[in-house]
C-alpha cells in the first residue's frame, strides 16, 4: 500500500465512466466523453428582485441570449407548425389533423417553460465566462451563475400561482433561488441534510433575495428520507434533486470526489439513497401534485432504474 502509485479520484471516475457509459451510449460515448471533459458552460440566472431591465440589457450587450424564452418560442413554433408522427416523419399543420396519439407527441409550451425565469447563455460553442455578479443600490446581486442545465428541473416543475413547493435536497441553493424567481409560490420549503450546505443556502438567499421574501422560505436541515413523517401529503410540487456521482465534478475536481477510494461504499449505496429520497418526495406530495426527480449524472442506475 505504501509503494503502490496513488491513483487520482478523477482518473478512477474516468475509468468507471469508460467502462459503464461506453456500454450505455455505444458509438455516442466518445462525443459524450468529450463534452464531460470540456469546460463547464455557465448560465446567468437573472435576479428578478434586482433591476431586471438593466441586467438584461447588460447581458444582451455581451451577446448572451435568454435560452428560456428561446425555448418557449421554439415550442410555440412546433405547436403551431408541425407534429411528429410515430415513424418520425413531420406532418404540416395544414394537412390531415393528427390523431390523439400523434398530438400527444407535441407538448404545449406551458408544459415546457415556467414564467418569469430568465437565464442568459452565450451562443452554442462559446464558453465565455460571465463576469462576477454585482450588487445593485439595495445590495442585491443582479444575477446568479449556474450550470445552465441546472435550471431544467425547475422549469419542469411548472409551478402555478399559489403552489406549495418543497425543494427536498436544496443546498447549495441555485435551484431554490430559481424557484423563487417564478414569483408563484404560495409557500416554499427548502431542506438539506447537511447543516454546512444549508448555511451556504442561507448565504445565497441573503445575497439575492430581499429580507421580506426570504422570511417566507422555510429552511430546514432534516434527513429528507424522513420528510413524510414531518409534513406528508402537503405540497403541490416537489423537487427531488438527489445526491449523485455529479459526473462532471467527479472528472474535474479531486476535492470531495465521490470516487475517492474511501467513499466507494457511499457511492455504491447512492441508488438506494436516491430511491428513498424519491419515495419521501412522493409521500410529501398532495394527491394530484407532481414530483420532479433529477440528478447530475448520466448513469441509468441513478436515473431510469431509480424511477422504475
Amino acid at each position: 500500500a505504501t509503494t503502490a502509485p496513488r491513483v487520482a479520484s478523477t482518473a478512477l471516475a474516468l475509468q468507471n465512466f469508460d467502462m459503464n457509459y461506453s456500454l450505455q451510449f455505444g458509438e455516442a460515448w466518445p462525443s459524450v466523453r468529450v463534452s464531460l471533459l470540456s469546460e463547464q458552460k455557465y448560465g446567468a440566472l437573472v435576479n428578478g428582485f434586482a433591476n431586471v431591465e438593466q441586467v438584461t440589457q447588460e447581458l444582451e450587450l455581451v451577446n448572451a441570449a435568454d435560452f428560456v424564452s428561446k425555448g418557449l418560442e421554439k415550442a410555440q413554433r412546433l405547436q403551431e407548425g408541425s407534429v411528429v408522427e410515430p415513424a418520425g416523419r413531420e406532418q404540416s399543420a395544414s394537412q390531415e389533423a393528427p390523431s390523439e396519439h400523434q398530438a400527444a407527441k407535441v407538448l404545449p409550451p406551458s408544459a415546457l417553460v415556467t414564467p418569469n425565469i430568465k437565464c442568459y447563455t452565450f451562443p452554442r460553442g462559446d464558453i465565455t465566462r460571465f463576469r462576477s455578479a454585482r450588487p445593485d443600490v439595495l445590495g442585491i446581486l443582479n444575477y446568479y451563475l449556474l450550470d445552465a442545465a441546472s435550471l431544467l428541473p425547475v422549469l419542469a416543475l411548472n409551478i402555478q400561482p399559489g403552489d406549495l413547493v418543497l425543494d427536498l435536497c436544496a443546498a447549495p441553493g441555485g435551484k431554490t433561488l430559481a424557484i423563487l424567481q417564478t414569483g408563484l409560490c404560495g409557500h416554499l420549503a427548502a431542506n438539506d441534510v447537511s447543516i454546512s450546505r444549508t448555511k451556504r443556502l442561507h448565504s445565497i438567499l441573503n445575497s439575492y433575495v430581499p429580507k421580506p421574501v426570504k422570511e417566507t422560505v422555510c429552511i430546514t436541515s432534516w434527513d429528507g428520507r424522513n420528510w413524510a413523517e414531518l409534513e406528508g401529503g402537503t405540497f403541490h410540487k416537489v423537487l427531488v434533486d438527489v445526491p449523485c456521482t455529479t459526473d462532471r465534478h467527479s472528472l474535474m475536481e479531486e476535492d470531495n470526489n465521490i470516487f475517492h477510494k474511501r467513499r466507494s461504499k457511499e457511492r455504491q449505496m447512492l441508488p438506494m439513497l436516491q430511491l428513498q429520497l424519491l419515495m419521501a418526495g412522493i409521500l410529501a406530495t398532495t394527491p394530484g401534485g407532481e414530483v420532479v426527480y433529477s440528478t447530475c449524472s448520466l448513469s441509468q442506475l441513478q436515473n431510469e432504474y431509480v424511477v422504475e
Side-chain angles (χ1 to χ4, degrees):
T2 57
T3 57
R6 180 177 176 274
V7 180
S9 301
T10 51
L12 290 174
L14 187 57
Q15 290 173 15
N16 181 285
F17 295 161
D18 279 334
M19 181 171 60
N20 293 297
Y21 289 164
S22 61
L23 296 175
Q24 180 177 326
F25 292 103
E27 293 180 356
W29 169 235
S31 60
V32 176
R33 189 182 195 268
V34 168
S35 298
L36 278 175
L37 292 168
S38 298
E39 189 173 349
Q40 190 171 11
K41 182 164 184 172
Y42 282 92
L45 174 65
V46 174
N47 186 4
F49 301 109
N51 187 331
V52 175
E53 185 176 354
Q54 180 180 343
V55 178
T56 55
Q57 285 178 354
E58 289 178 0
L59 292 170
E60 287 168 3
L61 282 173
V62 294
N63 198 32
D66 175 22
F67 84 81
V68 181
S69 63
K70 281 182 172 290
L72 179 57
E73 290 169 5
K74 183 175 182 180
Q76 287 173 332
R77 287 198 302 271
L78 288 172
Q79 186 76 3
E80 295 165 2
S82 65
V83 295
V84 178
E85 295 182 319
R89 299 189 306 274
E90 288 198 350
Q91 177 186 45
S92 170
S94 63
Q95 295 176 2
E96 178 184 344
S99 68
E100 183 178 345
H101 173 71
Q102 292 169 339
K105 297 286 185 181
V106 182
L107 293 172
S110 60
L112 301 174
V113 178
T114 300
N116 305 331
I117 292 181
K118 295 180 182 296
C119 187
Y120 281 74
T121 57
F122 289 106
R124 184 172 183 172
D126 184 347
I127 54 173
T128 302
R129 293 291 183 115
F130 291 98
R131 67 181 181 186
S132 300
R134 295 176 299 173
D136 64 8
V137 291
L138 299 177
I140 296 175
L141 296 178
N142 54 6
Y143 55 73
Y144 179 81
L145 298 180
L146 77 172
D147 188 306
S150 297
L151 198 57
L152 300 180
V154 177
L155 297 175
L157 276 175
N158 194 24
I159 298 169
Q160 300 299 307
D163 274 352
L164 307 183
V165 182
L166 169 63
D167 189 353
L168 191 61
C169 309
K175 294 180 181 69
T176 306
L177 180 62
I179 290 171
L180 285 173
Q181 297 303 313
T182 67
L184 299 174
C185 296
H187 171 71
L188 174 59
N191 177 74
D192 198 277
V193 67
S194 168
I195 293 176
S196 62
R197 284 166 59 86
T198 305
K199 288 180 179 178
R200 170 70 175 150
L201 173 59
H202 275 286
S203 174
I204 286 177
L205 294 186
N206 285 335
S207 299
Y208 287 88
V209 179
K211 189 174 181 181
V213 177
K214 185 185 178 238
E215 289 174 350
T216 66
V217 182
C218 178
I219 300 176
T220 54
S221 296
W222 298 101
D223 185 334
R225 293 173 291 184
N226 303 323
W227 188 271
E229 300 172 13
L230 305 169
E231 217 170 354
T234 304
F235 297 91
H236 299 105
K237 303 291 171 66
V238 176
L239 175 59
V240 186
D241 184 55
V242 293
C244 64
T245 49
T246 52
D247 293 355
R248 186 189 294 274
H249 174 86
S250 295
L251 290 175
M252 298 294 191
E253 302 288 341
E254 280 296 308
D255 184 43
N256 199 32
N257 195 308
I258 191 71
F259 283 88
H260 192 286
K261 289 183 177 180
R262 293 177 184 171
R263 301 183 70 185
S264 59
K265 187 171 183 180
E266 178 187 350
R267 187 175 71 252
Q268 292 164 7
M269 293 301 293
L270 275 175
M272 179 57 68
L273 171 63
Q274 293 159 346
L275 175 60
Q276 291 169 332
L277 287 167
L278 177 55
M279 289 300 299
I282 292 170
L283 293 172
T285 309
T286 188
E290 299 176 15
V291 177
V292 170
Y293 173 84
S294 63
T295 76
C296 301
S297 171
L298 298 173
S299 167
Q300 289 180 322
L301 285 174
Q302 299 175 64
N303 290 295
E304 290 89 341
Y305 293 167
V306 169
V307 173
E308 287 174 10

